[in-house]
Amino acid sequence: SLDHKNQLVHINLTIRENRRVEVDFQGSRKLSRADLMGAVTFFEEGAADTFEIQQSAREIQRKLQGKGYFFAAVSAVRTRLGAQAEKVTFWIEEGPRLKVEGIAFVGNAAYDDRKLLDVIKTRPYPKLGAIGFGSGGFLSDRQLEQDVERVITKYKDAGYLDVTVRAEIGTSPPAVGYLGVLAADLATQMERKAGELHVRFVIREGPRYLVDQVVRTGSPPELERTLAKAGKLEAGKPFTRKRLG
């Protein structure tokens, strides 16, 4: 409120405290509590609602995937401790540590495997990694999704507008793409300390669209804009939407 006489402003603050939230982690042997707390999002967002708790579980899973535990599973349970407090317990099942052993491409005719390997970020585990040389060799589902998009972008930039790409994984080459085999194979490995992960990108290129001819039309006020856009298109060159400006 304003105090005109004394030229003062009186500010009244009303503070409503959220519930106190305790966080517990069960089952993790590979990440420290500090690492796990770094993945918890609801303190930063200021709300420990169901969505943020699920997001936190997802971030913990991604941290474990970055360490090689691709099939890590994380769930969360909320427990009321009173009117103003609750406890969130994250239950973590790490599973076996799986190194990327092989990467394959199927259906690629326009580009050989080597060129597509240059596009993606997933890499096989370095042979010298065990003694401290090399890097990479682990996989997260987010990275896999991004790699699929990278391959799609490369094809579309070359005129393959109908291209589709999907990624398949397995713990052995014959199991890639067969989820039932993958699940059974994983179940036998849950007590093992390590294993292999094989990745395959299945590509359907579709036709390549080329520019047949460029016809410039338009009224004089629009002519310059039309010419500027059409200048990126040349007969015989791949057609891409980016070339339209």
PDB file of all heavy atoms in Angstrom, residues 189-215:
ATOM      1  N   GLN A 189      20.621 -62.120 -19.120  1.00  0.00           N
ATOM      2  CA  GLN A 189      21.824 -61.325 -18.866  1.00  0.00           C
ATOM      3  C   GLN A 189      21.713 -60.436 -17.638  1.00  0.00           C
ATOM      4  O   GLN A 189      22.677 -59.774 -17.264  1.00  0.00           O
ATOM      5  CB  GLN A 189      22.137 -60.430 -20.076  1.00  0.00           C
ATOM      6  CG  GLN A 189      22.533 -61.222 -21.317  1.00  0.00           C
ATOM      7  CD  GLN A 189      23.197 -60.319 -22.335  1.00  0.00           C
ATOM      8  OE1 GLN A 189      24.110 -59.567 -22.002  1.00  0.00           O
ATOM      9  NE2 GLN A 189      22.753 -60.388 -23.562  1.00  0.00           N
ATOM     10  N   MET A 190      20.555 -60.400 -17.014  1.00  0.00           N
ATOM     11  CA  MET A 190      20.336 -59.438 -15.939  1.00  0.00           C
ATOM     12  C   MET A 190      21.335 -59.597 -14.805  1.00  0.00           C
ATOM     13  O   MET A 190      21.645 -58.642 -14.103  1.00  0.00           O
ATOM     14  CB  MET A 190      18.908 -59.552 -15.410  1.00  0.00           C
ATOM     15  CG  MET A 190      17.855 -59.076 -16.393  1.00  0.00           C
ATOM     16  SD  MET A 190      18.099 -57.377 -16.928  1.00  0.00           S
ATOM     17  CE  MET A 190      17.631 -56.508 -15.445  1.00  0.00           C
ATOM     18  N   GLU A 191      21.843 -60.799 -14.593  1.00  0.00           N
ATOM     19  CA  GLU A 191      22.800 -61.018 -13.526  1.00  0.00           C
ATOM     20  C   GLU A 191      24.242 -60.891 -14.002  1.00  0.00           C
ATOM     21  O   GLU A 191      25.165 -60.981 -13.207  1.00  0.00           O
ATOM     22  CB  GLU A 191      22.575 -62.402 -12.900  1.00  0.00           C
ATOM     23  CG  GLU A 191      21.191 -62.587 -12.287  1.00  0.00           C
ATOM     24  CD  GLU A 191      20.901 -61.543 -11.223  1.00  0.00           C
ATOM     25  OE1 GLU A 191      21.845 -61.183 -10.464  1.00  0.00           O
ATOM     26  OE2 GLU A 191      19.761 -61.066 -11.140  1.00  0.00           O
ATOM     27  N   ARG A 192      24.414 -60.695 -15.300  1.00  0.00           N
ATOM     28  CA  ARG A 192      25.770 -60.556 -15.816  1.00  0.00           C
ATOM     29  C   ARG A 192      26.265 -59.128 -15.610  1.00  0.00           C
ATOM     30  O   ARG A 192      25.497 -58.186 -15.473  1.00  0.00           O
ATOM     31  CB  ARG A 192      25.817 -60.902 -17.306  1.00  0.00           C
ATOM     32  CG  ARG A 192      25.377 -62.331 -17.614  1.00  0.00           C
ATOM     33  CD  ARG A 192      25.481 -62.581 -19.103  1.00  0.00           C
ATOM     34  NE  ARG A 192      24.882 -63.864 -19.463  1.00  0.00           N
ATOM     35  CZ  ARG A 192      24.763 -64.289 -20.713  1.00  0.00           C
ATOM     36  NH1 ARG A 192      25.201 -63.543 -21.709  1.00  0.00           N
ATOM     37  NH2 ARG A 192      24.202 -65.464 -20.974  1.00  0.00           N
ATOM     38  N   LYS A 193      27.571 -58.980 -15.650  1.00  0.00           N
ATOM     39  CA  LYS A 193      28.142 -57.659 -15.436  1.00  0.00           C
ATOM     40  C   LYS A 193      28.246 -56.856 -16.725  1.00  0.00           C
ATOM     41  O   LYS A 193      28.398 -55.657 -16.697  1.00  0.00           O
ATOM     42  CB  LYS A 193      29.531 -57.794 -14.800  1.00  0.00           C
ATOM     43  CG  LYS A 193      29.496 -58.381 -13.384  1.00  0.00           C
ATOM     44  CD  LYS A 193      30.887 -58.440 -12.790  1.00  0.00           C
ATOM     45  CE  LYS A 193      30.841 -58.990 -11.370  1.00  0.00           C
ATOM     46  NZ  LYS A 193      32.195 -59.071 -10.771  1.00  0.00           N
ATOM     47  N   ALA A 194      28.230 -57.523 -17.874  1.00  0.00           N
ATOM     48  CA  ALA A 194      28.406 -56.806 -19.126  1.00  0.00           C
ATOM     49  C   ALA A 194      27.772 -57.589 -20.258  1.00  0.00           C
ATOM     50  O   ALA A 194      27.387 -58.745 -20.114  1.00  0.00           O
ATOM     51  CB  ALA A 194      29.890 -56.577 -19.404  1.00  0.00           C
ATOM     52  N   GLY A 195      27.651 -56.963 -21.403  1.00  0.00           N
ATOM     53  CA  GLY A 195      27.102 -57.614 -22.578  1.00  0.00           C
ATOM     54  C   GLY A 195      27.302 -56.733 -23.789  1.00  0.00           C
ATOM     55  O   GLY A 195      27.990 -55.713 -23.738  1.00  0.00           O
ATOM     56  N   GLU A 196      26.677 -57.129 -24.879  1.00  0.00           N
ATOM     57  CA  GLU A 196      26.820 -56.413 -26.139  1.00  0.00           C
ATOM     58  C   GLU A 196      25.482 -55.836 -26.570  1.00  0.00           C
ATOM     59  O   GLU A 196      24.416 -56.352 -26.228  1.00  0.00           O
ATOM     60  CB  GLU A 196      27.342 -57.354 -27.227  1.00  0.00           C
ATOM     61  CG  GLU A 196      28.725 -57.912 -26.969  1.00  0.00           C
ATOM     62  CD  GLU A 196      29.151 -58.874 -28.071  1.00  0.00           C
ATOM     63  OE1 GLU A 196      28.333 -59.123 -28.996  1.00  0.00           O
ATOM     64  OE2 GLU A 196      30.286 -59.374 -28.008  1.00  0.00           O
ATOM     65  N   LEU A 197      25.564 -54.785 -27.355  1.00  0.00           N
ATOM     66  CA  LEU A 197      24.388 -54.167 -27.936  1.00  0.00           C
ATOM     67  C   LEU A 197      24.674 -53.936 -29.416  1.00  0.00           C
ATOM     68  O   LEU A 197      25.717 -53.383 -29.771  1.00  0.00           O
ATOM     69  CB  LEU A 197      24.069 -52.846 -27.241  1.00  0.00           C
ATOM     70  CG  LEU A 197      22.696 -52.227 -27.476  1.00  0.00           C
ATOM     71  CD1 LEU A 197      21.604 -53.147 -26.939  1.00  0.00           C
ATOM     72  CD2 LEU A 197      22.596 -50.872 -26.803  1.00  0.00           C
ATOM     73  N   HIS A 198      23.765 -54.394 -30.259  1.00  0.00           N
ATOM     74  CA  HIS A 198      23.914 -54.216 -31.705  1.00  0.00           C
ATOM     75  C   HIS A 198      22.794 -53.307 -32.206  1.00  0.00           C
ATOM     76  O   HIS A 198      21.635 -53.450 -31.801  1.00  0.00           O
ATOM     77  CB  HIS A 198      23.874 -55.565 -32.418  1.00  0.00           C
ATOM     78  CG  HIS A 198      25.040 -56.446 -32.070  1.00  0.00           C
ATOM     79  ND1 HIS A 198      26.139 -56.578 -32.883  1.00  0.00           N
ATOM     80  CD2 HIS A 198      25.284 -57.215 -30.979  1.00  0.00           C
ATOM     81  CE1 HIS A 198      27.005 -57.406 -32.325  1.00  0.00           C
ATOM     82  NE2 HIS A 198      26.510 -57.805 -31.159  1.00  0.00           N
ATOM     83  N   VAL A 199      23.149 -52.375 -33.081  1.00  0.00           N
ATOM     84  CA  VAL A 199      22.215 -51.373 -33.581  1.00  0.00           C
ATOM     85  C   VAL A 199      22.113 -51.514 -35.095  1.00  0.00           C
ATOM     86  O   VAL A 199      23.126 -51.675 -35.780  1.00  0.00           O
ATOM     87  CB  VAL A 199      22.684 -49.944 -33.220  1.00  0.00           C
ATOM     88  CG1 VAL A 199      21.657 -48.910 -33.697  1.00  0.00           C
ATOM     89  CG2 VAL A 199      22.922 -49.813 -31.725  1.00  0.00           C
ATOM     90  N   ARG A 200      20.891 -51.456 -35.597  1.00  0.00           N
ATOM     91  CA  ARG A 200      20.686 -51.520 -37.043  1.00  0.00           C
ATOM     92  C   ARG A 200      19.700 -50.428 -37.459  1.00  0.00           C
ATOM     93  O   ARG A 200      18.638 -50.271 -36.854  1.00  0.00           O
ATOM     94  CB  ARG A 200      20.135 -52.891 -37.447  1.00  0.00           C
ATOM     95  CG  ARG A 200      19.902 -53.025 -38.965  1.00  0.00           C
ATOM     96  CD  ARG A 200      19.611 -54.467 -39.331  1.00  0.00           C
ATOM     97  NE  ARG A 200      18.354 -54.931 -38.758  1.00  0.00           N
ATOM     98  CZ  ARG A 200      18.037 -56.217 -38.654  1.00  0.00           C
ATOM     99  NH1 ARG A 200      18.879 -57.150 -39.040  1.00  0.00           N
ATOM    100  NH2 ARG A 200      16.867 -56.565 -38.133  1.00  0.00           N
ATOM    101  N   PHE A 201      20.067 -49.683 -38.484  1.00  0.00           N
ATOM    102  CA  PHE A 201      19.203 -48.657 -39.055  1.00  0.00           C
ATOM    103  C   PHE A 201      18.600 -49.212 -40.346  1.00  0.00           C
ATOM    104  O   PHE A 201      19.326 -49.554 -41.279  1.00  0.00           O
ATOM    105  CB  PHE A 201      19.978 -47.374 -39.337  1.00  0.00           C
ATOM    106  CG  PHE A 201      20.491 -46.687 -38.100  1.00  0.00           C
ATOM    107  CD1 PHE A 201      21.742 -46.980 -37.587  1.00  0.00           C
ATOM    108  CD2 PHE A 201      19.706 -45.749 -37.441  1.00  0.00           C
ATOM    109  CE1 PHE A 201      22.213 -46.360 -36.449  1.00  0.00           C
ATOM    110  CE2 PHE A 201      20.169 -45.120 -36.290  1.00  0.00           C
ATOM    111  CZ  PHE A 201      21.422 -45.426 -35.794  1.00  0.00           C
ATOM    112  N   VAL A 202      17.271 -49.300 -40.370  1.00  0.00           N
ATOM    113  CA  VAL A 202      16.569 -49.824 -41.537  1.00  0.00           C
ATOM    114  C   VAL A 202      16.032 -48.633 -42.339  1.00  0.00           C
ATOM    115  O   VAL A 202      15.244 -47.834 -41.824  1.00  0.00           O
ATOM    116  CB  VAL A 202      15.418 -50.755 -41.115  1.00  0.00           C
ATOM    117  CG1 VAL A 202      14.688 -51.292 -42.347  1.00  0.00           C
ATOM    118  CG2 VAL A 202      15.949 -51.899 -40.262  1.00  0.00           C
ATOM    119  N   ILE A 203      16.473 -48.536 -43.582  1.00  0.00           N
ATOM    120  CA  ILE A 203      16.192 -47.358 -44.411  1.00  0.00           C
ATOM    121  C   ILE A 203      15.359 -47.743 -45.624  1.00  0.00           C
ATOM    122  O   ILE A 203      15.668 -48.723 -46.324  1.00  0.00           O
ATOM    123  CB  ILE A 203      17.508 -46.706 -44.880  1.00  0.00           C
ATOM    124  CG1 ILE A 203      18.369 -46.319 -43.666  1.00  0.00           C
ATOM    125  CG2 ILE A 203      17.233 -45.489 -45.764  1.00  0.00           C
ATOM    126  CD1 ILE A 203      19.790 -45.956 -44.022  1.00  0.00           C
ATOM    127  N   ARG A 204      14.313 -46.990 -45.870  1.00  0.00           N
ATOM    128  CA  ARG A 204      13.578 -47.061 -47.123  1.00  0.00           C
ATOM    129  C   ARG A 204      13.740 -45.710 -47.809  1.00  0.00           C
ATOM    130  O   ARG A 204      13.133 -44.724 -47.406  1.00  0.00           O
ATOM    131  CB  ARG A 204      12.102 -47.385 -46.873  1.00  0.00           C
ATOM    132  CG  ARG A 204      11.860 -48.803 -46.360  1.00  0.00           C
ATOM    133  CD  ARG A 204      10.385 -49.129 -46.294  1.00  0.00           C
ATOM    134  NE  ARG A 204      10.155 -50.498 -45.846  1.00  0.00           N
ATOM    135  CZ  ARG A 204       8.945 -51.040 -45.713  1.00  0.00           C
ATOM    136  NH1 ARG A 204       7.867 -50.332 -46.004  1.00  0.00           N
ATOM    137  NH2 ARG A 204       8.812 -52.295 -45.312  1.00  0.00           N
ATOM    138  N   GLU A 205      14.562 -45.708 -48.826  1.00  0.00           N
ATOM    139  CA  GLU A 205      14.940 -44.434 -49.431  1.00  0.00           C
ATOM    140  C   GLU A 205      13.798 -43.789 -50.214  1.00  0.00           C
ATOM    141  O   GLU A 205      13.614 -42.574 -50.167  1.00  0.00           O
ATOM    142  CB  GLU A 205      16.145 -44.641 -50.358  1.00  0.00           C
ATOM    143  CG  GLU A 205      17.394 -45.073 -49.612  1.00  0.00           C
ATOM    144  CD  GLU A 205      18.567 -45.329 -50.533  1.00  0.00           C
ATOM    145  OE1 GLU A 205      18.336 -45.586 -51.730  1.00  0.00           O
ATOM    146  OE2 GLU A 205      19.712 -45.268 -50.055  1.00  0.00           O
ATOM    147  N   GLY A 206      13.055 -44.570 -50.961  1.00  0.00           N
ATOM    148  CA  GLY A 206      12.029 -44.001 -51.824  1.00  0.00           C
ATOM    149  C   GLY A 206      12.660 -43.309 -53.026  1.00  0.00           C
ATOM    150  O   GLY A 206      13.882 -43.312 -53.212  1.00  0.00           O
ATOM    151  N   PRO A 207      11.838 -42.673 -53.860  1.00  0.00           N
ATOM    152  CA  PRO A 207      12.379 -42.020 -55.061  1.00  0.00           C
ATOM    153  C   PRO A 207      13.129 -40.736 -54.712  1.00  0.00           C
ATOM    154  O   PRO A 207      12.877 -40.112 -53.684  1.00  0.00           O
ATOM    155  CB  PRO A 207      11.129 -41.713 -55.879  1.00  0.00           C
ATOM    156  CG  PRO A 207      10.045 -41.554 -54.851  1.00  0.00           C
ATOM    157  CD  PRO A 207      10.369 -42.548 -53.765  1.00  0.00           C
ATOM    158  N   ARG A 208      14.028 -40.379 -55.607  1.00  0.00           N
ATOM    159  CA  ARG A 208      14.745 -39.112 -55.467  1.00  0.00           C
ATOM    160  C   ARG A 208      14.073 -38.082 -56.365  1.00  0.00           C
ATOM    161  O   ARG A 208      13.919 -38.299 -57.573  1.00  0.00           O
ATOM    162  CB  ARG A 208      16.206 -39.266 -55.862  1.00  0.00           C
ATOM    163  CG  ARG A 208      17.057 -38.059 -55.516  1.00  0.00           C
ATOM    164  CD  ARG A 208      18.468 -38.219 -56.038  1.00  0.00           C
ATOM    165  NE  ARG A 208      19.361 -37.222 -55.467  1.00  0.00           N
ATOM    166  CZ  ARG A 208      20.559 -36.945 -55.955  1.00  0.00           C
ATOM    167  NH1 ARG A 208      21.014 -37.600 -57.022  1.00  0.00           N
ATOM    168  NH2 ARG A 208      21.307 -36.032 -55.385  1.00  0.00           N
ATOM    169  N   TYR A 209      13.703 -36.955 -55.785  1.00  0.00           N
ATOM    170  CA  TYR A 209      13.023 -35.908 -56.531  1.00  0.00           C
ATOM    171  C   TYR A 209      14.043 -34.902 -57.048  1.00  0.00           C
ATOM    172  O   TYR A 209      14.812 -34.322 -56.273  1.00  0.00           O
ATOM    173  CB  TYR A 209      11.992 -35.204 -55.651  1.00  0.00           C
ATOM    174  CG  TYR A 209      10.834 -36.084 -55.254  1.00  0.00           C
ATOM    175  CD1 TYR A 209      10.901 -36.887 -54.114  1.00  0.00           C
ATOM    176  CD2 TYR A 209       9.680 -36.125 -56.022  1.00  0.00           C
ATOM    177  CE1 TYR A 209       9.847 -37.706 -53.749  1.00  0.00           C
ATOM    178  CE2 TYR A 209       8.606 -36.946 -55.657  1.00  0.00           C
ATOM    179  CZ  TYR A 209       8.708 -37.729 -54.522  1.00  0.00           C
ATOM    180  OH  TYR A 209       7.660 -38.545 -54.156  1.00  0.00           O
ATOM    181  N   LEU A 210      14.032 -34.707 -58.376  1.00  0.00           N
ATOM    182  CA  LEU A 210      14.912 -33.731 -59.014  1.00  0.00           C
ATOM    183  C   LEU A 210      14.075 -32.621 -59.628  1.00  0.00           C
ATOM    184  O   LEU A 210      12.927 -32.824 -60.031  1.00  0.00           O
ATOM    185  CB  LEU A 210      15.767 -34.403 -60.097  1.00  0.00           C
ATOM    186  CG  LEU A 210      16.664 -35.559 -59.646  1.00  0.00           C
ATOM    187  CD1 LEU A 210      17.387 -36.149 -60.843  1.00  0.00           C
ATOM    188  CD2 LEU A 210      17.669 -35.096 -58.593  1.00  0.00           C
ATOM    189  N   VAL A 211      14.668 -31.448 -59.706  1.00  0.00           N
ATOM    190  CA  VAL A 211      13.990 -30.311 -60.321  1.00  0.00           C
ATOM    191  C   VAL A 211      13.977 -30.513 -61.838  1.00  0.00           C
ATOM    192  O   VAL A 211      15.035 -30.713 -62.455  1.00  0.00           O
ATOM    193  CB  VAL A 211      14.694 -28.985 -59.966  1.00  0.00           C
ATOM    194  CG1 VAL A 211      14.007 -27.817 -60.677  1.00  0.00           C
ATOM    195  CG2 VAL A 211      14.695 -28.773 -58.456  1.00  0.00           C
ATOM    196  N   ASP A 212      12.791 -30.491 -62.431  1.00  0.00           N
ATOM    197  CA  ASP A 212      12.672 -30.647 -63.879  1.00  0.00           C
ATOM    198  C   ASP A 212      12.974 -29.331 -64.595  1.00  0.00           C
ATOM    199  O   ASP A 212      13.851 -29.247 -65.440  1.00  0.00           O
ATOM    200  CB  ASP A 212      11.273 -31.142 -64.233  1.00  0.00           C
ATOM    201  CG  ASP A 212      11.094 -31.359 -65.729  1.00  0.00           C
ATOM    202  OD1 ASP A 212      12.085 -31.717 -66.391  1.00  0.00           O
ATOM    203  OD2 ASP A 212       9.978 -31.161 -66.240  1.00  0.00           O
ATOM    204  N   GLN A 213      12.243 -28.317 -64.218  1.00  0.00           N
ATOM    205  CA  GLN A 213      12.482 -26.991 -64.777  1.00  0.00           C
ATOM    206  C   GLN A 213      11.967 -25.939 -63.811  1.00  0.00           C
ATOM    207  O   GLN A 213      11.110 -26.217 -62.975  1.00  0.00           O
ATOM    208  CB  GLN A 213      11.810 -26.838 -66.141  1.00  0.00           C
ATOM    209  CG  GLN A 213      10.290 -27.012 -66.106  1.00  0.00           C
ATOM    210  CD  GLN A 213       9.671 -26.823 -67.465  1.00  0.00           C
ATOM    211  OE1 GLN A 213      10.189 -26.078 -68.295  1.00  0.00           O
ATOM    212  NE2 GLN A 213       8.550 -27.497 -67.714  1.00  0.00           N
ATOM    213  N   VAL A 214      12.497 -24.746 -63.953  1.00  0.00           N
ATOM    214  CA  VAL A 214      12.091 -23.625 -63.109  1.00  0.00           C
ATOM    215  C   VAL A 214      11.438 -22.591 -63.999  1.00  0.00           C
ATOM    216  O   VAL A 214      12.066 -22.078 -64.935  1.00  0.00           O
ATOM    217  CB  VAL A 214      13.293 -23.001 -62.376  1.00  0.00           C
ATOM    218  CG1 VAL A 214      12.836 -21.821 -61.514  1.00  0.00           C
ATOM    219  CG2 VAL A 214      13.994 -24.046 -61.524  1.00  0.00           C
ATOM    220  N   VAL A 215      10.174 -22.318 -63.744  1.00  0.00           N
ATOM    221  CA  VAL A 215       9.428 -21.330 -64.525  1.00  0.00           C
ATOM    222  C   VAL A 215       9.173 -20.137 -63.631  1.00  0.00           C
ATOM    223  O   VAL A 215       8.555 -20.263 -62.567  1.00  0.00           O
ATOM    224  CB  VAL A 215       8.097 -21.917 -65.042  1.00  0.00           C
ATOM    225  CG1 VAL A 215       7.335 -20.859 -65.830  1.00  0.00           C
ATOM    226  CG2 VAL A 215       8.363 -23.154 -65.885  1.00  0.00           C
TER     227      VAL A 215
END
